[in-house]
Structures are given as C-alpha cells and as structure tokens.
C-alpha cells in the first residue's frame, strides 16, 4: 500500500499559556508525515519549502521513511510561516499571522513514482492546490481524505466546494463544521456537509474527542484525559496521519475499521500535544504507541447488561 501526503512544511511561532516558541518546524504535511510513517512507509510527500528550511529536518524525515521527491525547494524564497496564540483552555486559538511565501505561487507536481498510490491525504492547504493534486493522479486513490480550516472557508470557499465533491473523508473541527454548514447542531451540520460530497465526516472536538459520521451512523471516540497539554499545534494533522496510516496499513476502508482508525488518530494526537512542535512525535517508539492505544481501549471499555 502506498500513501501520498500533501500539505505545508512550515515555520511556526507558537504562544501557549505555558510558553512561547519561535520559528519551530511545523506545517500540516510535516505533522502528517511524522504520524503516518509509524504505520506505513514510504509516505510520499508533496509540499514546498524555501531555502531557509533546515536540511537536518529533511534528513530526519527521509530517515523516517518519508519520500521527499515531491517536495519542491525554492532556494531564494522563504518557507510558509504561521503564528498562533492559544487561549487558556488550549482548545481555541487565534491565528496571529499567515505568510504564504513559497506557497503563494506553488504549483504541486506529482512525481511519476507517486502514480498508482492507493491512499491520498490532502492536508491543510489552498483548496485549489488540493484539487490540482487529485487531477494529476491517473488512477483515483481508493481513499481520499481532506483536511481544511476556517482560513480557507473564508478566503477560498468556491474552490473548497469543488474539492469537497472529490473526496471520501473530510476532517474538520466542530467550529469549522458549524461555519461550513451554518448549522449549530453537529448532527445537522454533518448531514449538510456530507451532502456537499464526502461520504464520511470526522468532526474533531479537541480535548473532547472526535465524532465519525457516515450516512445515519455515528461513532464517538474520546480524547485521552492528559495531565499536561503543552502545545496543541499539529494535533489535527497528527490525528489525520494516524487515521490514514492505520487504514493504509490494514488495507481496509470500511466504516468499522475507520472506528479503529479514529482511536489510532486520537492516540497519536495525544502524544503530539505533550511537547512543543514535533518533538514528541520524533521520540516515539512502536511500544509507546501500542501502550497508548491500550489506554484508549481501557478508557472506553465497559460491560452493560440491559434488562
Ligand atoms: P493543526 O494544529 O493540526 O491545525 O495544524 C497546525 C499546523 O498547520 C501548523 O504547523 C501550521 O504551520 C499549519 N498551518 C496553519 N495555517 C495553515 C494554513 N492556512 N494552511 C496550511 N497549513 C497551515
């Protein structure tokens, strides 16, 4: 099985109530790759970086099994930059700055060696570019997962509507689901959003877990109650990477297996928030992941006899 991951590779300035980090490595595709590569390799990356992106970070990804053939390097330009500040609850944040830089005139090119991939994850990126990648693939992947955010709903809604028609699974957070559907009830929002294209919808609710919708079915996975959350940046992308990584590894895209994938994604996201940036994800071993998934199973496991 093979997986293509598309998204940003970035510098982030992050402020949380616990501290501040300047110009650390981030980006949607970076987090997806660090997460998904625990389950499937290679992860075939499509992104763009400037000459300022550290070679050591690229080397670390390559060593981890990430194929960088689809990552364009624009030597004389600067990488995508994002700055955000988290509120005290750590579930909500303000975007302080978004500098597209290399992304401004990015034209993704799918390398020939990526053709035929069965799984595609379109991480947070301009919807027009996400669509461009889908159109370059000669064989439609078995599963296309899309992540997006309010920024694109506000600046590129017509393109987002087009890409929504082409994907199988959409992942967004609860406030974005309400914004996209103009519905307060998440059940009604889910119905409206699935009518826009995706057959499956994952609504992430931060520390309150995630919901998976498909037709009239719904599944809920909690988030692990953690003692310390240092930096939620990338949690959504890490979740997405774990979700699609599990599906690609098991080669099973049924609703039942997506339930497990939600748990795997939640487990991966719970690691991501424990340290700033990608630090925690880089340290992870298979045994850590298995132990964390087991904690999830214990968290929700109960017997009940109904009379
Ligand atoms: P998450 O916390 O999962 O939403 O992901 C945060 C990551 O997404 C950060 O590392 C940012 O560099 C990246 N990011 C922020 N805004 C955008 C955007 N508009 N498009 C693509 N990536 C973004």
């Amino acid at each position: 099985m093979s997986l293509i991951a598309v998204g940003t590779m970035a510098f982030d300035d992050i402020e949380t109530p616990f501290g501040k980090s300047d110009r650390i490595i981030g980006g949607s595709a970076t987090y997806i790759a660090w997460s998904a590569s625990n389950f499937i390799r290679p992860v075939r990356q499509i992104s763009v970086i400037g000459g300022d992106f550290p070679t050591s970070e690229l080397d670390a990804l390559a060593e981890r099994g990430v194929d960088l053939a689809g990552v364009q390097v624009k030597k004389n330009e600067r990488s995508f930059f994002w700055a955000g500040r988290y509120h005290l609850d750590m579930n909500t944040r303000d975007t302080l700055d978004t500098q597209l830089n290399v992304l401004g005139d990015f034209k993704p090119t799918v390398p020939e060696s990526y053709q035929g991939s069965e799984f595609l994850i379109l991480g947070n990126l301009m919807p027009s570019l996400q669509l461009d990648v889908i159109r370059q693939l000669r064989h439609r992947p078995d599963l296309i997962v899309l992540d997006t955010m309010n920024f694109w709903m506000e600046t590129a809604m017509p393109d987002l509507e087009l890409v929504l028609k082409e994907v199988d699974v959409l992942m967004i957070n609860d406030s974005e689901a309400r914004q996209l559907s103009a519905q307060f009830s998440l059940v009604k929002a889910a119905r409206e959003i699935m009518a826009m294209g995706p057959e499956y919808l994952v609504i992430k609710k931060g520390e309150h877990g995630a919901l998976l919708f498909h037709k009239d079915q719904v599944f809920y996975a909690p988030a692990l109650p953690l003692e310390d959350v240092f930096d939620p940046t990338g949690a959504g992308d890490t979740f997405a990477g774990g979700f699609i990584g599990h599906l690609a590894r098991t080669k099973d895209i049924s609703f039942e297996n997506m339930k497990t994938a939600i748990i795997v994604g939640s487990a991966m996201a719970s690691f991501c928030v424990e340290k700033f940036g990608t630090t925690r994800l880089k340290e992870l071993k298979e045994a850590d992941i298995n132990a964390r998934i087991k904690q999830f199973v214990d968290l929700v496991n109960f017997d009940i006899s109904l009379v």
Side-chain angles (χ1 to χ4, degrees), residues 11-124:
F11 285 107
D12 292 341
D13 275 5
I14 298 161
E15 264 181 70
T16 77
F18 307 104
K20 206 167 172 300
S21 252
D22 283 344
R23 279 180 76 75
I24 58 169
I25 296 296
S28 52
T30 307
Y31 284 103
I32 291 171
W34 278 108
S35 179
S37 56
N38 287 287
F39 307 96
I40 180 154
R41 294 181 195 181
V43 172
R44 295 168 162 173
Q45 192 93 327
I46 295 183
S47 191
V48 61
I49 53 175
D52 52 359
F53 202 87
T55 317
S56 56
E57 291 292 333
L58 298 175
D59 292 346
L61 283 168
E63 200 173 314
R64 182 56 170 263
V66 180
D67 185 342
L68 301 171
V71 177
Q72 291 174 29
V73 186
K74 296 189 179 175
K75 280 227 160 0
N76 300 320
E77 292 179 42
R78 284 183 301 148
S79 300
F80 177 76
F81 171 80
W82 175 79
R85 184 191 293 133
Y86 288 88
H87 300 178
L88 207 54
D89 69 1
M90 295 288 253
N91 268 333
T92 46
R93 70 182 175 203
D94 296 323
T95 289
L96 303 179
D97 198 1
T98 301
Q99 295 173 17
L100 296 181
N101 298 329
V102 283
L103 211 61
D105 58 356
F106 177 45
K107 166 95 184 69
T109 311
V110 176
E112 193 52 36
S113 58
Y114 288 16
Q115 292 290 348
S117 296
E118 291 96 343
F119 289 81
L120 170 63
I121 177 146
L122 298 162
N124 197 6

Side-chain angles (χ1 to χ4, degrees), residues 201-214:
L201 172 69
V202 177
I203 299 183
K204 298 167 288 179
K205 292 159 63 75
E207 67 169 329
H208 305 297
L211 294 160
L212 168 67
F213 292 90
H214 174 55

Side-chain angles (χ1 to χ4, degrees), residues 144-194:
I144 304 180
V145 176
L146 176 77
D147 191 1
T148 189
M149 72 186 297
N150 53 352
F151 184 80
W152 303 119
M153 292 174 198
E154 284 145 26
T155 60
M157 195 54 201
D159 286 335
L160 183 57
E161 278 170 352
L162 289 179
V163 76
L164 278 171
K165 290 192 177 50
E166 304 289 332
V167 305
D168 303 299
V169 184
L170 172 67
M171 293 190 166
I172 41 177
N173 68 33
D174 44 358
S175 65
E176 290 159 350
R178 291 186 169 116
Q179 184 171 343
L180 187 58
S181 63
Q183 290 286 353
F184 181 78
S185 148
L186 290 180
V187 175
K188 286 186 184 156
R191 204 177 300 131
E192 298 227 348
I193 293 168
M194 286 189 286

